[in-house]
Each structure stands twice: as structure tokens, then as C-alpha cells.
Amino acid sequence: MDTVSLVAPPHLEAGTPQLKITSAKALAESSNLTSIPSNYAFTTLTSGDPAVHADLDDSIPVIDFSLLSSSNPDQRSKAVFDLAKACQDWGVFMLINHGVPEGQMKATVDALRGFFDLTEEEKNEFQGKHVLDPIRYGTSFKASVDKVFLWRDFLKMTVHPKFHCPPKPEGLSKVLAEYCGEVQKVARELLKGISESLGLEPGYIHKTMDMDSSLQILAANLYPPCPQPELAMGLPSHSDYGLLTILMQNDIGGLQVHHGGKWVKVDPIPNALVVNNGDQLEIMSNGRYKSVLHRAAVNNKATRISIPFNTGPSSDTVVVPAEQLVDGEHNQATNILMTYKDYMEFKQSRVLDKGSSLNQVKI
């Protein structure tokens, strides 16, 4: 298999006028809004494929991080076993006792809410045009080309190997840097446990993925109340491009994952984090740990804020299946090889509502 290099979409020249696109928050706060604009109405709706609550005998796994990081070998062994089962059976799990202080989590949500409360002009200063721009504010997915808009505003920041953050509101950078530092510790321990759960050395992912130069992106999604939630979407079905996504959210539900042929609601657990497999983990595990499809529904009562932390390999790493997980020539995943940076650019160029992008890079 040859490594391919995809040409990135060109950046706009300096001085190119910014697009005047109304944010979902501004629309939601319009005093006369009783229905959504027609360009926000989806023809394929969640109402036609409704989500259900998880069955009691097949519920979303819960991983106790304190056991995974325990010095007790029996506790850690059980936690690694549970982690393997969660990654293989669901591709998503709730993480409790993770060590990120509750006060810090609340401060992070409040600080990012403060960003979205800036004026439209202030937020538009940070409009990005490219998936690898270090700071990127926007609405929908790719508002300049989206035929149907998503009921969602977002802020995305590259936080490693170099930390980037908007300079306003005051104090945002300090709060986010502290939060990222805590979540990076969690990600490091989870990837260590995942390596072990696959029968690999604990440091396998860290070494082969060049995690000292890991490309890590912190995002914030704002889903304001929607007058017609049955017609709108926050985010359609998609998978994530990295190794793992570690999600924090306020207490408003909306996340749904695809499991067992149906959509399942992920009801928030106070102070828990939600962790899901990404595309690069599926490649590295040779398909053993699938990248989970998920989507975000909206509601007409309260604003939902979700804060995903996506950790991937270094931007120049070409992820391949671990040799120990390949049993013969016919048991190897057949993805086109490309650097992580190229894969992100490829994924950004695709239509979002098409399931896993890995299906589009098969040989």
C-alpha cells in the first residue's frame, strides 16, 4: 500500500471578506423566532430513526479510572479487561473517578460559555477556513458550502503540541490550559491501558504514534434551544478522526451513539467524562476497536454545551495496524495509507452525514 498525500484546500488570501453568516445562538435568541429557517430543516431526521435508552442488560459501559491507574495489579488487570470489552463491544464508555476536579470542569464550561456570549463581531474575528487552523470559530459544519445548516456553533483550538486559544474573554486561556493539562493525563493513561488491552506493550501507542508531538484539539459545541428540534440536527451521524475523544458536557443530554443497529441515548452522569474510539484507533487495532458512529440531537428547552478533547497521533504519523494484531495477509485492514494531517483534511472535505470516513479510504 502506498502512502498518499492529499492536497489541502487553499487558505483564503489576506483581506478576503468574511462571510456574514448568522450563528445558531443569534437565531435562537431572535425574539420573533417560532420556527427554524428552511435552510436548517433536514429531510432525513432523527425523528425517523429515533434514539432509545440503553437496555438494562446492555447499557453503556462505565470504566472506573481510579482502578485503571491503581497500583493494585488485580484491580488494574480487571480495569484493563473492562476497558477492552468496552472498546470492542461499544466503542464508547463513561469514565468516572477520572481525577479532573469538578470545579475545574465547571469553570471550563463557564469560560467557554463566556466565549459564545461575545458579540458576533468579536467571535467572527476567529473564523477559520481550514481544518488545521489553530483557532477556528464557526457555525454549522462548513457554513460556506453547507446546503443544510446544523443547529450548532463551535470553537476549535489546537492545544498540543502548541497551545492556542482566543485572547478573549479574559481568563479563557488560563482555564482551558489547566483543563487540557488534566485531560492529557487521563488520555495518556487510557492509551496505555488500551495498548495493554490489545496485548501490546503499555507504551506501544505512545511510541508508535509519536505522542510527544500528538496533535490534540479541544473543541466546544454550543447547541442553543431550537423551536423545532424534530426538524433540525446538532450534528449528524459521524465518526471522529483521532485515536480517542474525551467529552465533557453540561447536564443537558443530546449525544446518541449507534449500537446494535439502533441509536442509543447517552444520558449524562454527573461529573463523568464520555470517551469514544476514533478512526485512528480502529486502524491501529486492525479493526478490533471500531470507531463509533454518533450524533447530536437538539431540544427546545435548554442550551447544551459539549467539550470534546480529541487526541490523535502526530500530524506526520502514518497509522498502520499493529503487526501483532495482523494474522496473515488476508486479515489486515485495507485502508489507503496517509499521514494523520492528510486524513483530517480528507475528512473535512467529505459530506459529514456519510458514516465513518474510513469506508471512503478503503483500497
Side-chain angles (χ1 to χ4, degrees):
M1 293 182 287
D2 296 327
T3 300
V4 300
S5 178
L6 304 181
V7 177
H11 292 265
L12 295 184
E13 297 294 332
T16 301
Q18 297 282 6
L19 292 168
K20 299 295 184 181
I21 297 174
T22 304
S23 69
K25 183 176 185 291
L27 275 175
E29 293 174 350
S30 302
S31 58
N32 59 348
L33 185 71
T34 57
S35 61
I36 61 174
S38 59
N39 61 326
Y40 283 84
F42 274 73
T43 55
T44 303
L45 302 169
T46 57
S47 57
D49 191 8
V52 299
H53 290 282
D55 297 331
L56 291 177
D57 58 348
D58 187 24
S59 58
I60 296 172
V62 177
I63 300 296
D64 188 333
F65 185 80
S66 67
L67 301 182
L68 187 64
S69 54
S70 172
S71 59
N72 183 312
D74 292 335
Q75 288 184 336
R76 178 170 172 75
S77 178
K78 174 66 164 59
V80 169
F81 175 85
D82 291 342
L83 184 62
K85 186 170 176 55
C87 288
Q88 186 159 350
D89 293 353
W90 275 82
V92 62
F93 54 89
M94 311 295 287
L95 190 69
I96 61 172
N97 298 325
H98 43 69
V100 182
E102 179 182 352
Q104 192 170 64
M105 295 172 69
K106 182 180 185 304
T108 301
V109 172
D110 291 344
L112 285 165
R113 189 189 298 272
F115 174 85
F116 289 113
D117 284 341
L118 295 174
T119 66
E120 295 295 291
E121 291 75 20
E122 288 176 302
K123 289 182 290 189
N124 284 336
E125 294 175 20
F126 307 103
Q127 276 190 17
K129 301 293 182 271
H130 187 269
V131 65
L132 293 174
D133 284 345
I135 301 174
R136 189 159 57 100
Y137 164 75
T139 190
S140 189
F141 179 60
K142 292 183 290 185
S144 61
V145 298
D146 288 341
K147 294 180 180 179
V148 182
F149 276 29
L150 304 173
W151 197 260
R152 165 234 193 194
D153 299 332
F154 66 86
L155 173 66
K156 297 187 177 185
M157 300 153 285
T158 299
V159 294
H160 191 273
K162 185 177 179 181
F163 180 83
H164 299 270
C165 181
K168 50 187 163 182
E170 185 178 354
L172 177 65
S173 179
K174 181 176 184 294
V175 171
L176 297 191
E178 291 175 351
Y179 175 72
C180 288
E182 292 294 332
V183 180
Q184 283 163 351
K185 297 176 188 175
V186 174
R188 193 176 304 119
E189 194 66 35
L190 285 174
L191 290 174
K192 182 179 175 183
I194 286 173
S195 290
E196 290 184 69
S197 76
L198 289 166
L200 306 170
E201 290 296 321
Y204 178 88
I205 291 177
H206 187 90
K207 181 179 179 181
T208 60
M209 304 290 147
D210 190 17
M211 296 303 289
D212 286 337
S213 300
S214 166
L215 181 56
Q216 298 172 355
I217 296 174
L218 182 73
N221 298 305
L222 182 100
Y223 305 101
C226 177
Q228 294 177 294
E230 71 281 1
L231 298 181
M233 287 288 294
L235 276 173
S237 172
H238 67 285
S239 62
D240 292 340
Y241 39 69
L243 289 162
L244 285 181
T245 299
I246 302 174
L247 178 87
M248 177 175 64
Q249 57 190 332
N250 63 355
D251 57 358
I252 306 301
L255 177 63
Q256 301 171 359
V257 299
H258 200 255
H259 174 73
K262 59 189 176 184
W263 287 100
V264 179
K265 296 179 180 180
V266 183
D267 297 320
I269 296 177
N271 304 319
L273 298 170
V274 184
V275 183
N276 67 266
N277 301 348
D279 294 344
Q280 303 306 306
L281 183 58
E282 179 172 338
I283 296 172
M284 188 281 295
S285 68
N286 199 31
R288 188 176 300 182
Y289 293 169
K290 299 292 187 185
S291 182
V292 67
L293 294 177
H294 51 289
R295 67 187 186 186
V298 295
N299 71 84
N300 59 5
K301 295 181 175 62
T303 295
R304 176 173 180 253
I305 295 179
S306 71
I307 305 169
F309 174 90
N310 183 288
T311 184
S314 72
S315 60
D316 293 326
T317 294
V318 178
V319 178
V320 297
E323 289 184 11
Q324 299 91 321
L325 304 179
V326 178
D327 181 19
E329 180 181 349
H330 301 293
N331 190 34
Q332 181 167 354
T334 54
N335 299 107
I336 297 173
L337 300 185
M338 62 180 74
T339 65
Y340 182 46
K341 175 179 63 177
D342 286 341
Y343 182 77
M344 291 178 67
E345 293 173 344
F346 169 80
K347 186 150 186 163
Q348 184 72 12
S349 70
R350 304 294 97 181
V351 176
L352 189 60
D353 192 15
K354 292 294 183 182
S356 173
S357 294
L358 285 178
N359 293 330
Q360 302 172 40
V361 291
K362 299 288 187 184
I363 295 177

